[in-house]
Amino acid sequence: MRTRLAISMALATAVSVASVATAETIRATSGFGPDHPIAASIYPELSARLSEFTDGAWDLQDTPSGLVTPIAMSAALRDGTTEFGALVIPYFSAEFAEAALPSELSVVGSNSQAISAATTEYLVTCAECQAEFTENGQVYLGSGATPPYNLLTVKPIRTAADLRGVRIRTGAPLFAAFLKEQGGVVVQFPSSQLADALDRGAVAGTFDSNQDIIANDLGDLVHYVTEIGLGVYNGAATATAGRTLWDRMTPEDRAALARASQYGIAKGITEFLAGAEGARDVEGLEFIEMDDTLKAAKQSFIDEQLANAAQILESRGVTDAAAKIDRYVLLVGKWEELVSEDMASEELAQLRHDEIFAKLDMASYGR
């Protein structure tokens, strides 16, 4: 009896060891440093959920900095330098003209949970966008969205005139266009370089959401937050797989990765919002309300942006832009009805999965 029990325990141990030994680890690169929410929250949650959904067969290991910079991410995913990463679509506008449409329309809506989901559904169901990802050897699995964007500066910006001649870092053409209209000087580089640029005086501020004060450790470098609230940043395809990874996964594995990605992104959005609120507790920060000149500049820019969006997008190679804009706006409206700002991240994740990825054939998606 004892012998049979010992044999059974040994076999169970052997099966467990074999299972661990054959587990697959995805080589990921979040790319923005270890303190960024993608590295600190989104990818760890994604990995845990992927392991859960595949019974331990798959997990994900992130290299948050050093291996691949954000501006090299597209080529790195295509070439297999990394298998999974955060692709900042506006950095690669020539390769992703169609997929950049939601970024150009980030002034539509104000609920980052809804905007994130609408962006994801749009890119998943846009044939031309999917063709761009395929051509670049990538598979799109979801976008996040930040809280609304404000001016984070070393000197106070209280009026539209205060922006003239001021060097401000931006991460997307939309925010760059607003600054240029006010006479600001636009500087573009990854947020991972922001603290150094501010410390050296290379820029006088950044157009970002409040949570970046904490995420990029800017509390000692910026002293003013002008609450512009001009759109959100929805240009990061936070969950993007390389083709080499996708091809070695079964349809069931792919479905698990897509589902796990929604859990990671949803948790990240929740923490983005918490971080934005937490920035108000940072000592030494003054929060400045827009004056009438800034309010007028913002509204004029939004009106102009929406009126000219189709022409701008078509000049960049987007076909039938007006109809695509209408479809995206409808998706934002749809998701504003589906989500609420106090929705738990787990509920949001499952909703994103059910409404978008559960409806796909993972044997053919991304191919």
Side-chain angles (χ1 to χ4, degrees):
M1 184 70 172
R2 290 178 180 174
T3 301
R4 286 199 298 272
L5 179 59
I7 291 173
S8 297
M9 292 178 66
L11 286 171
T13 301
V15 169
S16 176
V17 170
S19 176
V20 171
T22 58
E24 295 267 14
T25 297
I26 295 172
R27 294 182 293 105
T29 308
S30 54
F32 291 93
D35 296 327
H36 193 277
I38 298 177
S41 177
I42 296 175
Y43 279 11
E45 176 71 8
L46 194 162
S47 181
R49 295 291 183 166
L50 178 61
S51 181
E52 174 189 345
F53 298 153
T54 61
D55 294 325
W58 288 84
D59 61 15
L60 178 145
Q61 182 174 342
D62 179 28
T63 303
S65 56
L67 177 65
V68 179
T69 63
I71 59 175
M73 185 61 70
S74 185
L77 287 166
R78 182 186 64 236
D79 300 340
T81 304
T82 191
E83 295 180 318
F84 195 90
L87 182 74
V88 183
I89 293 173
Y91 288 175
F92 312 100
S93 56
E95 295 96 325
F96 295 96
E98 293 278 357
L101 181 144
S103 300
E104 195 66 31
L105 298 172
S106 63
V107 294
V108 176
S110 59
N111 182 323
S112 57
Q113 295 164 311
I115 294 169
S116 167
T119 299
T120 299
E121 183 169 357
Y122 179 85
L123 293 180
V124 165
T125 57
C126 163
E128 294 87 351
C129 305
Q130 287 294 306
E132 290 175 339
F133 286 109
T134 299
E135 184 176 350
N136 286 281
Q138 299 155 16
V139 180
Y140 172 77
L141 295 174
S143 295
T146 67
Y149 263 40
N150 295 319
L151 285 166
L152 319 179
T153 57
V154 298
K155 295 181 179 180
I157 302 296
R158 302 187 188 278
T159 70
D162 289 340
L163 279 170
R164 292 173 191 158
V166 179
R167 292 172 61 84
I168 301 291
R169 178 261 174 192
T170 70
L174 176 80
F175 306 111
F178 174 77
L179 287 170
K180 287 178 181 178
E181 282 196 4
Q182 313 316 313
V185 178
V186 173
V187 184
Q188 293 183 307
F189 52 78
S191 62
S192 57
Q193 301 172 18
L194 179 55
D196 179 63
L198 285 165
D199 190 48
R200 291 186 291 105
V203 294
T206 181
F207 215 148
D208 271 310
S209 64
N210 293 0
Q211 62 87 26
D212 279 286
I213 295 170
I214 296 173
N216 290 308
D217 196 21
L218 306 180
D220 294 331
L221 296 168
V222 301
H223 307 295
Y224 302 92
V225 177
T226 306
E227 298 185 281
I228 301 288
L230 182 67
V232 305
Y233 192 88
N234 61 340
T238 313
T240 306
R243 172 55 55 80
T244 53
L245 167 64
W246 199 249
D247 284 349
R248 67 186 176 92
M249 300 183 88
T250 66
E252 293 76 19
D253 294 335
R254 296 170 185 171
L257 179 59
R259 184 183 176 196
S261 295
Q262 308 322 301
Y263 277 81
I265 290 169
K267 183 173 182 180
I269 295 170
T270 300
E271 296 197 358
F272 273 142
L273 293 169
E277 189 61 30
R280 296 185 177 277
D281 297 327
V282 175
E283 289 189 17
L285 275 179
E286 180 184 345
F287 287 80
I288 302 170
E289 292 186 9
M290 285 188 294
D291 77 333
D292 289 342
T293 66
L294 282 170
K295 289 178 182 177
K298 173 185 173 180
Q299 191 58 53
S300 174
F301 177 76
I302 291 174
D303 293 343
E304 180 183 354
Q305 184 71 18
L306 295 179
N308 297 331
Q311 182 180 350
I312 292 170
L313 289 164
E314 289 189 351
S315 72
R316 296 174 184 168
V318 176
T319 60
D320 200 14
K324 290 172 180 175
I325 289 170
D326 289 343
R327 189 169 83 85
Y328 175 74
V329 171
L330 287 174
L331 285 172
V332 172
K334 165 191 169 178
W335 281 95
E336 285 179 337
E337 292 292 325
L338 289 174
V339 306
S340 59
E341 291 187 356
D342 60 351
M343 179 176 283
S345 63
E346 293 85 356
E347 185 181 356
L348 175 62
Q350 192 60 44
L351 181 62
R352 289 169 61 109
H353 171 260
D354 294 344
E355 284 288 324
I356 304 171
F357 289 94
K359 298 177 181 179
L360 302 177
D361 175 8
M362 284 298 170
S364 59
Y365 178 72
R367 297 183 63 82

